[in-house]
Amino acid sequence: MLNLQENSLILIVDDTITNLEIISDALTNAGFSVTTARNGEKALQQIQDKLPDLILLDVMMPGIDGLETCRKLKTDPLTQDIPVIFMTGISDTETKVKGLSLGAVDYITKPCQKEEVLARIKTHLQLRYLTKTLEQRVAERTSELSQALKDLQAYQLQLIQKEKMSALGQLVAGIAHEINNPVSCIHGNLAHATNYFNNLMNIIDLYQQNYPEPVAAIQAEIAETDLDYMRSDLPNLITSMKEGVQRIRNISTSLRNFSRSDQDRKVFCNIHNGIDSTIMILKHRLKASKIRPEIEVIKHYGSLPSVTCFSGQLNQVFMNILTNAIDALEESNIGRSYSEIEQHPNRIWITTSLSENKQNVLIRIKDNGVGMSAEIQQKIFEHLFTTKAVGQGTGLGLSIAHQIIVEKHQGKLDVYSVPEKGSEFTITIPIH
């Protein structure tokens, strides 16, 4: 058990030398460290050099009396927790109540009895020690609970992110597979269709060369179908179909690239392929509509090496940031006409480069949307924080993005924004 006498310093404040000597000797013999002061002014000065664990304070003293000294002690954050025990020969209730209301913990009536003084001092030192210990334990427990909450939130984010990527990966992989089969069939058959058409045209040419004057029914059918236009336009139709099929194949490839199942290990990946795949998937939100022109995506790609990363998760970060940029642009369009938006078009700039030390890849995604206030920027990566209406945002997107970049890739995700001017997110990822 803690020996309070060996570890405690007692300050005795009394203008009577005899009282100081008697109480000081008693406390010293009991094992306490003792310091003394003859008045309130000197006591306050001494305390600035070394804080006592308890103060025995005479009420009636010249200059600053004990009550005023106690008031000063209790208004100073440095000394307000030190127990003060008044020593007084006055026994009226009013003085005692006033002293206790100022923050004193007890009274000792003069002439002081040694056993009583020691008993009261030990009691209040023990109470102070227990209070301090309890406060420390509460602070430690609060810190532990706070850390546990943070760990739980981080774990929840990991589960949500993992489940989302797993479900998305399976869905997208299934869609890409289902698309690939018919598209490959169409793509392969278009080449045969072109050959068949050319063969039919050759046969028609031979008929026209050898039978330049067909019967009336054939001439009428040729006129009805406009054979010359058909033979000139059909190649264009087949070319358009080939381009459409190739676009579907590109989308399918983008879907597969976007949803790569690499949660358990890092792989070498091309950052630009991930960004392009994400833009391809978001194409439907970028194209023009009845209320606004197309959102322009301006890319300034630097020369980047392959990066060791969780590419599927990194693509999710691009998706979250680009989706937020589109949302910010659409919000900025509220109240603006189509022509007004044309004059000040919606734009997203994507810039990639290497850091000065060539150790990191920098990806900047900037928009000219509504922007954010400084208060929102401080909270933007917090768990469940969202500025969107109920049902439109979960508050998880940027929180998960921050976790992916900072914890999974040991990188940084920063934001700089000005209200009504737009926002810029900067992703920093170590190359290895």
Side-chain angles (χ1 to χ4, degrees):
M1 185 173 179
L2 179 68
N3 189 330
L4 296 174
Q5 286 91 329
E6 291 181 358
N7 294 276
S8 301
L9 173 65
I10 311 298
L11 170 61
I12 307 170
V13 186
D14 198 317
D15 61 329
T16 304
I17 296 178
T18 304
N19 289 338
L20 286 177
E21 291 178 347
I22 293 173
I23 299 173
S24 178
D25 289 343
L27 293 179
T28 302
N29 292 333
F32 290 103
S33 299
V34 178
T35 182
T36 61
R38 294 284 302 278
N39 54 55
E41 291 93 337
K42 290 184 178 180
L44 293 172
Q45 291 173 1
Q46 286 181 217
I47 287 172
Q48 299 303 315
D49 297 328
K50 187 173 184 180
L51 293 176
D53 295 292
L54 185 142
I55 300 173
L56 290 174
L57 182 60
D58 187 18
V59 174
M60 302 299 294
M61 293 185 296
I64 302 178
D65 64 11
L67 296 174
E68 178 63 16
T69 303
C70 182
R71 189 190 67 78
K72 289 181 178 293
L73 289 169
K74 296 304 175 181
T75 55
D76 186 345
L78 189 66
T79 59
Q80 62 184 4
D81 293 330
I82 301 175
V84 174
I85 299 177
F86 277 125
M87 300 183 298
T88 179
I90 302 173
S91 59
D92 66 281
T93 302
E94 183 179 349
T95 302
K96 291 183 178 180
V97 170
K98 185 175 181 181
L100 293 171
S101 66
L102 288 172
V105 295
D106 207 347
Y107 263 91
I108 297 175
T109 304
K110 293 181 178 180
C112 301
Q113 300 297 317
K114 174 183 175 183
E115 291 76 9
E116 180 185 3
V117 172
L118 291 175
R120 291 180 185 269
I121 288 175
K122 288 178 181 179
T123 297
H124 289 293
L125 285 176
Q126 186 68 31
L127 286 173
R128 190 188 188 207
Y129 170 73
L130 292 174
T131 301
K132 277 188 171 183
T133 303
L134 179 60
E135 289 175 350
Q136 182 179 356
R137 291 178 63 186
V138 170
E140 290 173 353
R141 187 59 176 161
T142 301
S143 177
E144 290 173 1
L145 290 173
S146 178
Q147 185 59 46
L149 177 60
K150 290 179 180 179
D151 293 342
L152 177 60
Q153 290 177 339
Y155 183 62
Q156 286 176 330
L157 285 179
Q158 289 179 358
L159 285 179
I160 293 169
Q161 187 265 336
K162 186 174 182 179
E163 288 300 318
K164 284 178 66 176
M165 289 304 296
S166 177
L168 180 63
Q170 293 176 11
L171 174 65
V172 169
I175 292 173
H177 178 73
E178 292 300 321
I179 289 174
N180 273 342
N181 288 335
V183 166
S184 297
C185 177
I186 295 170
H187 185 268
N189 287 335
L190 280 175
H192 296 301
T194 301
N195 292 332
Y196 295 159
F197 169 73
N198 291 332
N199 291 337
L200 288 173
M201 288 299 102
N202 290 334
I203 292 172
I204 291 172
D205 290 340
L206 287 174
Y207 266 102
Q208 288 181 333
Q209 290 172 13
N210 291 282
Y211 301 97
E213 296 296 334
V215 297
I218 294 176
Q219 290 182 358
E221 188 64 25
I222 290 174
E224 179 68 23
T225 57
D226 196 352
L227 182 61
D228 291 338
Y229 175 77
M230 183 177 66
R231 68 189 297 168
S232 66
D233 189 52
L234 190 55
N236 295 332
L237 291 179
I238 292 176
T239 299
S240 295
M241 285 189 283
K242 286 182 177 179
E243 291 175 353
V245 169
Q246 186 58 48
R247 177 169 168 74
I248 295 174
R249 295 180 77 184
N250 291 341
I251 292 173
S252 177
T253 301
S254 296
L255 288 172
R256 290 199 305 274
N257 288 340
F258 179 82
S259 62
R260 291 181 60 175
S261 300
D262 54 20
Q263 287 91 344
D264 297 329
R265 62 186 179 88
K266 290 183 178 181
V267 296
F268 282 105
C269 78
N270 185 312
I271 294 292
H272 297 151
N273 287 346
I275 297 173
D276 291 339
S277 297
T278 307
I279 293 171
M280 177 71 75
I281 294 170
L282 290 172
K283 200 74 174 178
H284 69 287
R285 292 201 61 190
L286 297 170
K287 66 182 181 181
S289 66
K290 294 180 180 179
I291 60 173
R292 63 158 176 80
E294 179 181 6
I295 296 175
E296 299 177 24
V297 178
I298 303 167
K299 296 184 287 188
H300 299 290
Y301 287 170
S303 178
L304 302 182
S306 293
V307 176
T308 307
C309 65
F310 297 100
S311 61
Q313 296 181 26
L314 201 56
N315 290 340
Q316 187 182 1
V317 174
F318 300 149
M319 174 68 77
N320 287 336
I321 294 176
L322 287 170
T323 298
N324 280 352
I326 295 171
D327 291 341
L329 290 168
E330 290 182 340
E331 187 177 345
S332 72
N333 291 334
I334 297 174
R336 299 169 64 198
S337 66
Y338 196 100
S339 60
E340 287 175 332
I341 299 173
E342 277 186 320
Q343 293 173 9
H344 302 283
N346 297 151
R347 286 181 176 146
I348 296 175
W349 293 267
I350 304 176
T351 305
T352 64
S353 62
L354 285 175
S355 61
E356 291 184 4
N357 61 9
K358 311 297 183 184
Q359 299 298 310
N360 301 293
V361 166
L362 305 179
I363 305 151
R364 294 183 174 88
I365 301 176
K366 180 181 178 182
D367 65 72
N368 59 346
V370 292
M372 295 177 283
S373 65
E375 291 76 15
I376 291 178
Q377 290 179 64
Q378 292 177 354
K379 299 179 180 179
I380 198 68
F381 300 120
E382 290 182 6
H383 182 69
L384 299 179
F385 177 79
T386 180
T387 59
K388 297 176 182 176
V390 176
Q392 295 183 4
T394 63
L396 294 174
L398 288 177
S399 181
I400 289 174
H402 188 269
Q403 186 184 68
I404 290 172
I405 296 300
V406 176
E407 296 183 18
K408 294 295 185 68
H409 293 88
Q410 292 74 53
K412 292 196 303 180
L413 178 58
D414 302 305
V415 61
Y416 173 75
S417 184
V418 177
E420 309 304 325
K421 298 293 184 181
S423 303
E424 181 177 27
F425 287 84
T426 302
I427 303 168
T428 303
I429 302 176
I431 294 174
H432 301 294

